Amino acid sequence: MMVAASCVLSGCTVGPDYHGAPQVTHANAFVRAPATGVSTTHAPSQWWTTLGDPTLDALIDAALAHNADLQAAQARLRESRAQLQQQRAKELPKGTADAAALRMRKPDLSGLSQSSGTAGGRGPLQLYSAGFDASWEIDLFGGEHRATEAASAQAEAVDADLADTQVTLAAEVAQAYIGLRDQQRRLVLANRSAELEQQTLDLIQQRRAQGVGTDADVERQTTQVQTTRATLIPLDEQITESLDQLAVLTGQEPGALDSELSTPAPLPTLPASVPIDDPATMLQQRPDIRAAERRLAASNAQIGQHTADLFPKVTMLGFIGSNAADPGHLLRKSSFTWLGVPYLQWDVLDFGRTRGAIRQAEASRDEAIARYTQTVLAALQDANNALARYGHQRDSVQRLQQIEVSADRSAELMRQRYEAGASSLIDLLDTQRAQFSAQQNLVAGQAGLLKDFVSLQKGLGLGWKR
C-alpha cells in the first residue's frame, strides 16, 4: 500500500513549470538590411562553400576536426551528459551485494589450568554470509525529477555552447584566410609598382646622362622607389602571422601550412546575392540564444528542486540474506533472513535554509531571464550592424573599382606624355602614386567586403553542424 500510494503521489511535482522563454521581439525583418545584394531566402549553414574556394573549405573542415578549443568544448559536452546520466540514476533504486566468510577459533575456558594459567581451545568456528540490500527514495514531490530536468537543460546549453564555438571558429578561419590572400595580393601589387618605378628611375638616370634630366628628378624617383619597397616588409610580416594563425586554428604547429598557402591566390568570390532569412529564423539558429534559453529552463527547474525539500521524503529499505555455518547450507530456507521497512524523513527545523535556497533559485531564474533578453537584443544588434556594414562596404567597393580604372588610365596617359617630353616628372610621380594607392585601396576594400560577409554569417548564427 505504501509503494502504491508513493507511485500515485510521485506524479505531484512542485515548483513552477517551464513555459518557454519570454518573447523579446516581434520583428519580422532586419531594419538595417541593404536594398540590394541580399535576399530573404534560406541561408545555408556551411556558408563558406558559397565563396567557391576549395582551399578555404579544406581549412575550415580541418579546424572543425582538429582545433583544440573545439575539442575542449566537446569534452565539456561529454562531461555535462555524464552528469545528466548520474542524475537520472538517482531516481532509480540503489542496491548492493555482499558476501563474507568468517573462520575463528573459540577459546575453551573450561580447561583452564590453575597452575599454568593457560587454556586450551576448541576447533575453529565457521560462518558464511551472503546478502543483498536495496534502497529507493521515492520522489514524492518531484525534487529528483526537477533536478533531472535542470541537468538535461544544462546539457543542452553546453551542446549549444559547442555549436557557438563552431560558429566562431569557422568565422576566425575565414577571416584569417581572407587576410592572408589580401596581404599576398597587396604584396604582389607593391612588387609590381616597385618594378615600374624602378624602370622609371632607370629612364630618368638615362635622361640625366644625356643632359636632359636633373639630379633632383633622380632623387625624387629614388625616394618613390624606396618608399614603395618599404611597404613590402610589413606585408611580409603580416603574411607570416596569418600563416601561423591558420596553422594553430587548424590544430597544427606554426609553419605547417607554409608550403601549402605561401603561393599567392585570388580572394574568394562573393555570391551575387547573400541570403539572410529573417529575425525569427536567426533567433532559432543562433547557438548563444539557444544556450541562454536552456540555462533559463535549468534555473526554472532548480526552483522546484529546492521547493521539494519543504516536504517529507520516503525511502524504502530492504534486505535479503542468508547465513550458515556451511557454504552448502546458504540456499536452505531456514538460513534466509529478510527485512523491509519504509523510512520517513522530514527536516522540520531547518530555520529557513530551504526557503532561502528557494529564493536564491528564484533570483537566479530572474537573472537568467534578463541574460536571455540581453542575448536576444545583442544578437539583433549584431546582425543589423553586420548587414549595414556589408551594404555600405559593397557600395564603397563599387566606387573603388571606378577609381582604380580611372587611376590606371591616367597613369598610362601620363607615362606616354612624359616619355614624349610633354609633361614633367612630378606629374608622372603624382599619377603613379595615385595609381598605386587606388590599387591598394581596391584590394583592401574587396577584402573588407569579404570580412564583412563573414561577420554577417556569424551574426546570423551560421556555421555550426552536428
Side-chain angles (χ1 to χ4, degrees), residues 50-364:
T50 64
L51 297 177
D53 194 317
T55 302
L56 175 60
D57 297 345
L59 287 171
I60 292 181
D61 288 343
L64 293 176
H66 305 295
N67 180 265
D69 289 336
L70 191 59
Q71 291 173 348
Q74 291 169 341
R76 287 192 293 271
L77 177 59
R78 293 195 301 271
E79 179 184 3
S80 66
R81 287 176 175 173
Q83 291 172 348
L84 173 59
Q85 182 181 7
Q86 292 176 354
Q87 179 56 47
R88 284 174 174 166
K90 291 181 179 180
E91 299 185 44
L92 303 176
K94 302 175 184 178
T96 59
D98 61 84
L102 177 64
R103 184 181 177 88
M104 64 175 292
R105 184 177 183 85
K106 183 178 179 181
D108 185 4
L109 301 180
S110 62
L112 182 63
S113 173
Q114 296 182 354
S115 59
S116 61
T118 61
R122 293 190 295 177
L125 296 178
Q126 300 181 120
L127 177 64
Y128 297 90
S129 174
F132 176 82
D133 63 90
S135 64
W136 180 27
E137 181 180 329
I138 302 174
D139 196 16
L140 289 176
F141 299 96
E144 293 299 333
H145 175 75
R146 290 300 192 192
T148 301
E149 183 182 339
S152 178
Q154 184 63 31
E156 291 170 347
V158 177
D159 189 13
D161 290 339
L162 172 60
D164 194 43
T165 304
Q166 291 177 330
V167 170
T168 302
L169 178 61
E172 286 182 354
V173 172
Q175 296 275 14
Y177 179 77
I178 292 169
L180 172 66
R181 295 312 188 197
D182 167 42
Q183 295 148 11
Q184 289 176 334
R185 190 174 178 187
R186 285 191 286 120
L187 181 62
V188 171
L189 288 175
N191 278 313
R192 186 182 306 166
S193 179
E195 292 174 359
L196 292 175
E197 290 168 357
Q198 183 61 49
Q199 293 175 6
T200 302
L201 176 59
D202 295 340
L203 176 60
I204 293 173
Q205 289 174 337
Q206 293 174 8
R207 290 169 64 88
R208 183 188 62 177
Q210 296 171 0
V212 179
T214 65
D215 290 339
D217 292 339
V218 173
E219 292 302 326
R220 289 194 189 96
Q221 184 62 17
T222 301
T223 301
Q224 179 66 18
V225 171
Q226 296 301 327
T227 300
T228 302
R229 286 178 175 170
T231 63
L232 305 179
I233 299 175
L235 283 174
D236 272 329
E237 179 183 354
Q238 294 170 14
I239 289 172
T240 300
E241 292 177 355
S242 295
L243 287 170
D244 290 346
Q245 182 182 6
L246 285 169
V248 173
L249 286 172
T250 54
Q252 303 178 68
E253 295 181 0
L257 297 176
D258 288 5
S259 59
E260 179 182 349
L261 300 178
S262 291
T263 302
L267 287 167
T269 304
L270 278 173
S273 180
V274 179
I276 60 173
D277 281 324
D278 53 56
T281 303
M282 182 208 70
L283 296 181
Q284 294 175 358
Q285 66 192 11
R286 273 195 60 140
D288 57 338
I289 294 178
R290 292 191 294 111
E293 187 275 332
R294 290 289 79 200
R295 289 190 168 92
L296 170 57
S299 297
N300 188 82
Q302 288 170 355
I303 298 175
Q305 180 183 354
H306 291 293
T307 303
D309 292 336
L310 293 172
F311 301 95
K313 298 178 181 180
V314 174
T315 303
M316 300 299 296
L317 303 175
F319 169 79
I320 183 170
S322 178
N323 300 280
D326 187 283
H329 297 169
L330 285 174
L331 298 180
R332 289 183 178 181
K333 183 178 179 180
S334 59
S335 300
F336 278 96
T337 60
W338 61 270
L339 172 69
V341 60
Y343 177 71
L344 176 66
Q345 181 182 14
W346 194 355
D347 191 2
V348 294
L349 295 177
D350 72 340
F351 301 101
R353 284 188 291 268
T354 300
R355 295 192 181 278
I358 295 173
R359 288 193 292 270
Q360 181 181 2
E362 290 173 342
S364 297

Side-chain angles (χ1 to χ4, degrees), residues 396-458:
S396 177
V397 168
Q398 292 176 350
R399 289 178 172 81
L400 289 173
Q401 289 173 337
Q402 297 173 357
I403 293 173
E404 194 262 347
V405 170
S406 177
D408 288 346
R409 187 182 303 114
S410 177
E412 180 59 28
L413 291 174
M414 188 58 66
R415 176 180 289 276
Q416 294 175 4
R417 288 175 58 83
Y418 177 75
E419 291 176 353
S423 62
S424 67
L425 175 62
I426 295 177
D427 295 332
L428 176 60
L429 293 176
D430 287 341
T431 56
Q432 286 180 339
R433 293 190 189 97
Q435 180 189 28
F436 178 66
S437 177
Q439 292 172 341
Q440 293 276 17
N441 290 339
L442 177 59
V443 172
Q446 291 172 334
L449 180 59
L450 280 165
K451 291 181 178 180
D452 288 338
F453 169 81
V454 174
S455 297
L456 175 58
Q457 306 310 307
K458 181 183 177 183

